[in-house]
Structures are given as structure tokens and as C-alpha cells.
Amino acid sequence: MPETAPPDSSLPALPARTLRRALLTWYDGARRELPWRTPRGETPDPWRVLVSELMLQQTTVATVQGRFEPFLARFPTLAALAEAPLEEVLHAWQGLGYYRRARALHACARAVIERHGGRLPLTADALADLPGIGAYTAAAIAAIAGEEAVVPVDANVERVLSRVLAMEAPLPGARPKLRASAQRLAAPERAGDFAQALMELGALVCTPRRPACLACPWQRWCAAARRGDQESFPRKVERAPRAVRHATAFLLERVDGAVLFRRRPLEGLLGGMIELPSTPWLEDPEAVAAAMADSAPARTVWTPIPGEVRHVFTHLDLTVRLVRGTIEDGEDGMWTRPFRFSELALPTFTKKLLRHAGLRW
DNA sequence: TACGCGTGGGG
DNA sequence: TCCCCAAGCGT
């Protein structure tokens, strides 16, 4: 007789109503106070929900917590952000990463003005048509701000459900199945709380490593916990290794202390953000040396700054050497003295280089 | 479908 | 130091 893997259990076999009640009861006692959360029973401002959800895409709660209120103070309403130039939105997004989100939020706000009279739609279908809003974010906003009975599925929910089901199929291929399973748990009552409770469970109890199963309101229904291999879920397909790149960046200073910057193209990595001039980012360090003459922003004496700066992006491991040069003046470009660096949309990568050069602002 | 897209924290 | 991971989206 051939060996067969145990079949995945399925949510329809689980008592949805009982699961919902257990989770909501747990949530009422365990929920964190977060800047974008209103007191229980109060309906949140859709604009605040939209901003929080965009910020939280692939970004930890800890990071967003310190950034949310300052951003809201600068852009208190959807209309305020729609009226602002993109450059200001990028500036406010410094350090948050995935800068396309800032452009998407800007485009989204303008689309809401044009297509919805300035009022954010609160159904998942309508939300999903807006820039930067995909399946997860549409469901999250619709549930939290609109009390629509939809279940957003983020990485927390994927982890929780893949464990409850002991789902052998790996992510991301199994995502549609997980979304369908999640939606079977939806209820018309307390849709926003249920959505947040499910994510909160993943964040506080059903964690990637060493989940606190003894504190879990769903433990008795969890197939993985029963088997004792809960940490092995969700199964995932192996990722490609990160590419390695090298570059040399040019710190060109004018006699008045101004530094030459440039803006990256809107599309692609660090789109629209400000950087130091540099060689192309190349696999071969020797090719970088060969590219220096063509890449230098001015003809002057370039003095190496000792050491190097390593910056790891999602799919790139970049090592940068810095050289410093001085010119009298006359060069066109984005010249900025250090006391005005704070006005530039500087990604962390650029700030690292500036700090490595000993500049403070 | 698979890949490009930042950054910081935890183990 | 290294690896994993995070309230994903667009193409």
C-alpha cells in the first residue's frame, strides 16, 4: 500500500461560529492599543485606516507606530494629501521603504477625488480598483472602516490558517485556497474586529517561531498543534539568493559645503528618492573601478573615504565605496548644504552614505 | 506566475 | 554575522 500524506483538514468541517466567538473574546482582552485603532465600538476615520494599511504593507507595526501620527499631522485629510506635490509625500515617507507606496497613496487620493467625489469608497470591490490597494488592503479597509463581512488575508492570517489546517501546499501558490478558507469564517457582525483579531492572533500568539499555543483560543481546533509541528507552517517555496552588487558613490562638495545630489527615476528601486551620484551597481568590483571615470560628476581629485557601506535591499546586497572631491563652483545640479538635508527625500541608503562620510545634519 | 520592491527587529 | 520575517502590490 502506497504511503499517502495525511489530507489537509478543511475549514468547512470546523465550527465557524464557535471559532469566531472564541477569537473575538480573546481579542477583547488582548488587543493592543495602536495609533490607528479607535476605542472598541467606535468607527474609525477611513482616511486614517487607508494610511495605516498602506504603511503596514510588508512593514512591521513597530516601524509604523512611530511614523503614523506625524504623517497624519502633515496630511490630516485625503484632500490635503491629494493637493500636495508628490515630492512632499515622498519626503514624508522617508525611511519607510517600498517608496512606490507613497506614489500609490498620492495617486489613490487623487483618484478618490476624481472618481468618488473625495469620499473613500468602503466596499472591497470599489477599493480594489484604486492604486496601491490590492486584495488584502481592500478587504482590510472594507472590514475595518466599512464593516463589510470580508476577511483580509495577510501574512499573519496565512500563518494562522495554514497551521489550523496543517496545510501542506506551499505559499505563495496556496494563497487562493487560504483566502477561500478565511472567507468561510466571515460574519456580518463585528467584521472589523474579526479582521483585526485574526491578524492580532498571528502577531501576538501564532508567531513564526515558538508560537504560544497554550494561550491560543483556537488551540483545540489546530491540526498543526495537535501534531506538534506548528512551527513548520506555513510551507514555503525556497527563494532565490540575493544578488550581490558593488558601486562607488561620489561625495562632491562645493567650497561653501554644499553636496551634489540627484533624483532617482520614478520607476524602480528607490523611485523618486534622492541619492549621491555613483557608478552603476555592478557585479564585478573591478568593473566598478573601470566605470569611475565615466560616472564621476566632475573632473577633480577623488580621495577614497576609508571603509565601505553595505546596504541590503530585498533582492540586492549592495556594497558601496565612497570617494570625496571638491570643486570651486559652476556645476549645475541639486546642490544642498547639510543644514538643508532634512528637506530632501533621503532614503536610508543615502543617509548611511552621508553618515559614513562624517556628515551630520 | 514570479519577480522587483526597503527597512528594521528578532532569534 | 546571518537569516528570517513583516497588516502586499503591480506587472
Side-chain angles (χ1 to χ4, degrees):
Chain A
M1 194 160 113
E3 281 196 40
T4 55
D8 295 343
S9 60
S10 61
L11 269 181
L14 296 172
R17 177 184 297 268
T18 305
L19 287 171
R20 277 201 299 272
R21 192 171 302 134
L23 181 61
L24 285 168
T25 299
W26 169 83
Y27 181 65
D28 288 338
R31 82 193 274 274
R32 292 170 291 178
E33 296 295 332
L34 298 171
W36 48 91
R37 258 182 204 165
T38 52
R40 204 198 141 174
E42 283 183 34
T43 303
D45 173 9
W47 171 239
R48 291 173 67 86
V49 177
L50 173 62
V51 170
S52 70
E53 290 302 339
L54 264 288
M55 284 190 175
L56 286 163
Q57 288 171 5
Q58 289 289 282
T59 305
T60 58
V61 166
T63 298
V64 173
Q65 262 192 294
R67 303 296 303 271
F68 181 74
E69 290 297 354
F71 191 93
L72 261 290
R74 186 151 177 191
F75 304 109
T77 64
L78 183 146
L81 187 136
E83 288 163 13
L86 173 60
E87 166 59 22
E88 283 187 27
V89 183
L90 287 173
H91 183 270
W93 207 266
Q94 281 181 92
L96 278 171
Y98 287 131
Y99 298 98
R100 184 172 61 187
R101 294 181 294 172
R103 285 187 288 132
L105 182 59
H106 193 242
C108 178
R110 294 191 167 181
V112 169
I113 300 280
E114 288 178 17
R115 290 158 31 191
H116 300 284
R119 194 175 209 84
L120 188 69
L122 295 180
T123 65
D125 279 346
L127 284 160
D129 280 337
L130 292 166
I133 300 185
Y136 161 77
T137 306
I141 297 172
I144 295 168
E147 287 297 327
E148 187 179 350
V150 288
V151 181
V153 179
D154 71 337
N156 289 303
V157 179
E158 287 177 350
R159 189 169 55 253
V160 170
L161 293 183
S162 69
R163 287 172 176 171
V164 170
L165 301 171
M167 194 178 69
E168 296 296 338
L171 293 174
R175 196 159 284 150
K177 178 179 175 178
L178 278 180
R179 291 206 168 115
S181 294
Q183 194 52 39
R184 271 180 231 122
L185 291 172
E189 284 141 30
R190 298 189 67 185
D193 280 346
F194 182 71
Q196 294 178 88
L198 207 40
M199 294 188 275
E200 198 83 333
L201 185 65
L204 300 181
V205 173
C206 195
T207 50
R209 286 170 299 278
R210 301 183 57 81
C213 295
L214 292 181
C216 181
W218 283 5
Q219 187 194 12
R220 42 179 301 211
W221 296 283
C222 183
R226 211 150 36 229
R227 299 159 30 156
D229 63 346
Q230 54 272 21
E231 264 192 70
S232 72
F233 296 95
R235 314 280 201 226
K236 289 187 179 178
V237 298
E238 198 172 337
R239 289 183 313 176
R242 226 186 303 272
V244 175
R245 292 290 182 272
H246 298 268
T248 294
F250 300 92
L251 183 76
L252 182 59
E253 291 170 297
R254 228 164 41 184
V255 287
D256 65 353
V259 173
L260 181 64
F261 292 92
R262 66 183 182 190
R263 183 182 305 281
R264 294 181 58 85
L266 272 185
E267 304 297 325
L269 186 73
L270 303 176
M273 303 299 282
I274 307 300
E275 68 173 359
L276 292 176
S278 82
T279 65
W281 302 356
L282 303 171
E283 261 187 87
D284 179 4
E286 295 184 16
V288 171
M292 281 192 59
D294 284 342
S295 303
R299 259 200 285 278
T300 184
V301 178
W302 295 106
T303 307
I305 294 174
E308 51 193 26
V309 173
R310 183 162 174 230
H311 192 73
V312 180
F313 297 98
T314 303
H315 61 289
L316 280 183
D317 186 336
L318 179 64
T319 301
V320 184
R321 296 176 181 280
L322 254 177
V323 294
R324 186 195 295 261
T326 307
I327 62 169
E328 294 295 318
D329 85 46
E331 193 90 2
D332 281 346
M334 190 180 293
W335 289 98
T336 310
R337 280 175 288 171
F339 78 94
R340 300 195 112 163
F341 285 0
S342 61
E343 298 171 15
L344 300 175
L346 301 176
T348 298
F349 166 60
T350 303
K351 291 183 175 177
K352 265 195 203 178
L353 292 176
L354 294 172
R355 280 194 288 267
H356 182 68
L359 295 181
R360 297 293 181 269
W361 61 97

